[in-house]
Amino acid sequence: MQILIAFIVGAVIGLGIHFQLHQRLTRGVVLAPMIGAVSAGAAWTILTWLGVGIDTPWPWLASLIVPVVVTYPAIIALSRARVAHDRREKARLGIG
């Protein structure tokens, strides 16, 4: 059941990243929290499958660090890709 804490922490970190980075209007409000939640849950799952117990700090630290390390670059890359696509589409359509 502690994996739910990892999912919630990852989602909150993702939400913070969403509001901290620019170009918020180019992506949905749920994208960053979902990436954060999935990455935190995946880190927690992998560590527990490897035999690291929840009585050690490693799953807890991973659920805090992995979402930051994964979500920041993913959101930056997705936002840049969306802006570039929108720019190309506007040029193609002759709007703006």
Side-chain angles (χ1 to χ4, degrees), residues 32-46:
M34 285 303 295
I35 293 172
V38 168
S39 63
W44 183 281
T45 302
I46 289 169

Side-chain angles (χ1 to χ4, degrees), residues 11-86:
V12 169
I13 290 171
L15 188 65
I17 289 171
H18 169 74
F19 285 110
Q20 184 180 12
L21 293 178
H22 298 291
Q23 300 169 337
R24 271 178 247 141
L25 299 177
T26 63
R27 59 186 182 271
V29 72
V30 179
L31 182 64
M34 285 303 295
I35 293 172
V38 168
S39 63
W44 183 281
T45 302
I46 289 169
L47 286 175
T48 54
W49 282 352
L50 290 175
V52 179
I54 60 169
D55 54 339
T56 64
W58 300 115
W60 302 101
L61 286 174
S63 68
L64 291 172
I65 295 170
V66 170
V68 173
V69 171
V70 171
T71 306
Y72 258 110
I75 293 301
I76 290 170
L78 289 169
S79 296
R80 285 181 184 168
R82 174 66 187 265
V83 168
H85 175 267
D86 288 351

